[in-house]
Each structure stands twice: as C-alpha cells, then as structure tokens.
Amino acid sequence: MIARWLGSTDPFGPNVTVGDHPLADFGITASFADERAVLAVRGEVDPVSALVLGSLFDAVMASGYPAVLMDLPNANSIDAMGLAVIASAASRLVAQGGGLTIRFSSTGVARVFDIGWMAELISHAIQGSPVDHLAPAQVARAVAAVATRAAAPNLRTLAGISATEEAVDSALGLVVALARAAVDGADGASVTLRRLGQLVTVAASDTTISDMDTNQYATGEGPCIDASLEGRWFHAESLEEETRWPAFSPLARALGIEAILSSPLLSQGQPVGALNIYSRTPLAFATKEQELAAVFAAEASRVLTAAQAVAVDEQLTRRFQEALRTREVIAEAQGVIMARQGVTENEAFDTLRHLSQSSGASLRERAEGVVGSTQPTPDSP
Amino acid sequence: MTEPAADVLDRSRQDAGLSHDELWLRYFALGGMSSALQLEAYLYGALEPTSHDHDVIAHALNERFVELGGNHPVPYADDEPAVDS
C-alpha cells in the first residue's frame, strides 16, 4: 500500500505521542519499526478515548501498517465502545493481511478479550511471554515512551479545556504527524480549525509550519483559509508562480516553503477547517500525494464529526440533569403544599401553576419559594 | 373536545419553536409522568391526556411563551369549559 517510510529512518524521530485525556489519564504512544506499528495505551479506554484510539488505528492502517502490536500495560478498564473499536480494527487488519496483537499485564483485561470470535481475530499474549517479530529494543522504546508521558503533569486540565477538545486535538496531532510522514515531499503539516468564529492552528509539525498558518491568518488570505471556508481543496503547486495570495505567498517563500496543499475538513458535512501540507520543493505534490492528503483529511473529518456528536451528547446530559433538578424541587414543593393544605398531588401542582401564572415567575421559581419558606403558607392562594 | 385540544397543543408547540423532544424534556421537568411517545400521541390526538397531564403540557408551553416575551396563551383544562368545534 502506501508504506513510504519502509526501510528509511524513522520519520517521526523516536515516536509520536497522542493523548492526555484529562478525565481518564489516557494516552497512547505510537512507534513504528519495520512493518509493525506499536501502540502503547495508558489509562482507561472510555468512549472519548476510544474515539482517539479508533482514529489512530485508521491512520496507522491508511499509512500501510497492517500489523499492529497494542500494549495495554496500564489499561484499567475497557468499555463496550473500546472493545468495538478494537474488534473493528482487528478485523480490518486481518482483512489487509496483517493482524492485531495485544499484550496485557493484567489477566483481568485479558479475560475481557477472551470472547469467541474476537479471540480468533486478535492474537493476545500475556506480558512476559515471548512476542513474535518484535525486538526487545522496540518493546523497550514503546514502554519508555509511555513512562515519559505518565510523568508529565496535565496542565491542560487546569486550563479547563474539555476532555473532548483535548482528545480531538491529540487525534489531529497524530493525523498531522502521519500525513507529514506518509506524503512524499511533505516537509510539514498542520491542522486549521474554526473555533469560536476564528481560525486557529490546533496541530502543527513544527514552529515554521505554525508560522505559515499564522501568516495566513494575519494577511487574511492563503490556501488554508480558502479551504477552511469554502470546503474544497486548494493547491499552490509553486508559490513562485502563485497569483491568488499576493500578500501571503512572499511570506511563505521567505520561510522556505514552495508548495502547499490544503484539504478541507468537514464536521457533519460542514467545512470547519483544513489539513495543510507544506513542501520546500516546488511541484512536490502530484496526484498520488493529493489522494493521500485526501485520505488523511477524511480521517481528521471523521474525528471531528464524532467529537461533535459527543459534544451534543454532553449538552443533552446537562439539560437532562437540569430537568431532573427542576422536577425534584417541584415535587418537594408539592409535598409541602399537600401537607399544609391537605390537598392531593395534582391540586398542589395546580396551586403552583396558579402562582406561576399570576406572578410571571416560572413554576420552578415558585416551587423554590415554597420549599425555601419555613413559615406556614405565606403563599397561600 | 379531544381533537381540538390536541390541535391547540401541537400548534402552540410549533409556535413556541419546540421540538417534540424539547417539549417532553420541559414537561418531564415539571413532573410529567408520560413518556415522550405518549406525549406525541397526545399532541397528535391519538391519546387523550388526563386533565392534569394536559395542564402540565400547557404550562410547559406557556413557560416557553413567557421566555419569548408572551403571556400564557395556552388554555388550561379548567379555563376551557367547552370548546366549540
């Protein structure tokens, strides 16, 4: 398939890390060696982190790694969604002629995977037993990376960034790293997203690349802006010849960039940002590279769409909790009125309703007033 | 009276800009005991709510109208001794 870095030096440096899901202390460290990708998972695989894990599996597969070793050394628990993500990844890896190997340190986790058809797809090995095709140095590297991440303090939790946003940024960071590594001629990549009405760079492979994005926001023009707003891809084949972005192009060339490919990111079908791939070589991106960029953009779009669904869920949950609180207060007030006036539950409701209707206050506000009153029936009709 | 009352409720729901689910959540918050499906049946006139249920729905709608700057346009069971059809 697309495994461009096979036989070359590791394109990421030592590894790529994704994660730091503040709710569950979740993290994944990915390293790549020969034809195998190693994913070391830390923390709980819950619905939010399963999303990250799923997109990571997809990105790894899109990059041409059919064989994946997943380490679950510290995994405390896995829920149904996590299992579904892992099972789906396993079956697709098998279909590509590869497979998924999972290593556990806990027999409890192993038992979760010991389910008929799943066990056929996934070859699992309890930690300590030998694992085929994996050199000790590679295992050591993956484990060391996990240890490094575990020690890092989680400052973003304090900054109040939501778990979903955090997980999304992490997943997009991984997509950027994989896109940069997998697309021939790419010297850097970034993801632009529209947040609170403004375009921001949420992931960039280095500071030159984030400067490239910043220059576009500052001049108000450039392929990443056009792709983000118009929802279609923009390709600056050679910035020396480029006429569409006269203010931005010279700034880009001053930083050594000669070609840009911006693919739109969609959330639930709406344009929300762009995946930008930058090259120092003019005409670096041919059809093949464009197709590959589209694969990664589609991947990032899937993460964004799923995250939006999670955000809607969270909003619904909050509204439901609010409705429950209102219901409780009203029930309490009904109880007070029933005791004071010797009326039925429905009559107590009517009393509250009349109070609300005549005062213009909501029924909940009147109910709070009744519950808050300790004196006998100041509100009696 | 059943069908006109249901018509009034569902038209009010549309005027208030509430989806069935949103109305149900408000009805539930006010102590309503019927399911979302039953509520829809009341609005379509397929089931007849008790007068208490009717009033809870009416009040949920009226609170929405108050939020939108209105008064209490949706009649309660005891306000409407007879509805001519």
Side-chain angles (χ1 to χ4, degrees):
Chain A
M1 249 185 83
I2 316 165
R4 296 186 181 280
W5 56 66
L6 291 188
S8 72
T9 52
D10 190 332
F12 300 128
N15 55 57
V16 178
T17 304
V18 61
D20 258 3
H21 173 16
L23 284 186
D25 196 26
F26 178 76
I28 303 174
T29 299
S31 57
F32 303 86
D34 301 325
E35 294 197 14
R36 190 197 279 266
V38 180
L39 305 183
V41 179
R42 170 172 57 78
E44 290 188 25
V45 182
D46 64 11
V48 176
S49 51
L51 195 124
V52 178
L53 187 61
S55 70
L56 193 136
F57 269 124
D58 290 347
V60 165
M61 275 182 258
S63 314
Y65 281 97
V68 177
L69 170 72
M70 186 164 73
D71 256 321
L72 289 170
N74 306 317
N76 307 317
S77 72
I78 291 182
D79 74 352
M81 185 161 162
L83 282 174
V85 163
I86 292 168
S88 149
S91 61
R92 281 177 295 151
L93 287 166
V94 169
Q96 288 187 15
L100 175 64
T101 302
I102 301 180
R103 287 189 305 174
F104 314 102
S105 55
S106 135
T107 49
V109 179
R111 213 171 294 123
V112 171
F113 285 98
D114 190 19
I115 311 167
W117 62 272
M118 203 158 171
E120 289 173 22
L121 290 174
I122 306 171
S123 53
H124 60 78
I126 303 297
Q127 195 176 43
S129 60
V131 179
D132 292 339
H133 311 305
L134 196 77
Q138 290 159 353
V139 179
R141 192 169 70 178
V143 171
V146 170
T148 312
R149 292 298 292 182
N154 199 333
L155 295 176
R156 288 218 198 171
T157 313
L158 300 174
I161 294 173
S162 83
T164 311
E165 198 163 298
E166 167 83 15
V168 166
D169 288 358
S170 299
L172 293 177
L174 186 91
V175 170
V176 161
L178 286 167
R180 177 180 174 271
V183 175
D184 253 352
D187 291 307
S190 70
V191 166
T192 296
L193 277 189
R194 194 165 61 235
R195 276 193 178 147
L196 304 174
Q198 261 193 324
L199 292 177
V200 291
T201 299
V202 296
S205 44
D206 59 58
T207 52
T208 302
I209 297 307
S210 54
D211 288 348
M212 290 292 299
D213 288 358
T214 309
N215 284 339
Q216 294 180 66
Y217 310 146
T219 58
E221 62 174 45
C224 100
I225 292 182
D226 289 348
S228 298
L229 298 181
E230 296 187 24
R232 60 192 177 90
W233 63 273
F234 282 81
H235 184 191
E237 293 176 48
S238 169
L239 284 177
E240 193 177 359
E241 316 288 331
E242 188 54 63
T243 57
R244 285 173 288 183
W245 306 290
F248 163 68
S249 297
L251 298 175
R253 296 194 67 214
L255 291 172
I257 297 298
E258 295 292 346
I260 307 174
L261 185 58
S262 287
S263 310
L265 301 181
L266 307 175
S267 175
Q268 302 190 345
Q270 297 300 310
V272 293
L275 171 67
N276 314 298
I277 305 180
Y278 296 97
S279 180
R280 298 182 188 284
T281 312
L283 307 175
F285 306 126
T287 313
K288 212 170 175 184
E289 284 70 40
Q290 294 168 19
E291 286 170 3
L292 201 47
V295 168
F296 286 110
E299 194 47 56
S301 296
R302 236 174 49 81
V303 170
L304 292 168
T305 296
Q308 195 172 330
V310 170
V312 169
D313 271 359
E314 284 174 356
Q315 206 187 343
L316 271 180
T317 303
R318 277 197 299 277
R319 286 175 57 195
F320 194 71
Q321 285 168 342
E322 193 55 31
L324 273 176
R325 271 195 288 276
T326 303
R327 199 180 155 97
E328 277 170 16
V329 171
I330 291 171
E332 257 181 85
Q334 278 174 294
V336 171
I337 293 170
M338 286 159 73
R340 283 178 184 167
Q341 303 180 1
V343 296
T344 68
E345 196 178 346
N346 287 356
E347 286 165 341
F349 180 84
D350 286 339
T351 302
L352 284 171
R353 173 169 68 73
H354 285 297
L355 286 170
S356 160
Q357 201 176 350
S358 58
S359 67
S362 71
L363 206 132
R364 174 179 174 158
E365 287 163 341
R366 300 311 313 212
E368 282 166 347
V370 170
V371 172
S373 68
T374 48
Q375 302 304 313
T377 60
D379 280 328
S380 111
Chain B
M1 165 171 168
T2 304
E3 280 180 317
D7 285 351
V8 169
L9 289 180
D10 201 49
R11 186 164 37 72
S12 303
R13 176 190 67 76
Q14 291 171 31
D15 291 347
L18 293 177
S19 70
H20 285 123
D21 285 348
E22 285 166 338
L23 176 58
W24 179 79
L25 193 59
R26 285 164 176 268
Y27 159 86
F28 173 80
L30 296 180
M33 299 290 285
S34 298
S35 69
L37 201 65
Q38 283 171 313
L39 176 65
E40 269 196 64
Y42 300 153
L43 296 174
Y44 290 134
L47 282 180
E48 190 176 354
T50 64
S51 64
H52 175 69
D53 254 336
H54 174 276
D55 284 350
V56 178
I57 299 166
H59 195 77
L61 288 166
N62 280 331
E63 287 203 345
R64 175 61 182 159
F65 281 114
V66 169
E67 287 169 15
L68 295 174
N71 202 341
H72 284 65
V74 185
Y76 296 97
D78 54 8
D79 303 341
E80 39 177 5
V83 174
D84 296 327
S85 53

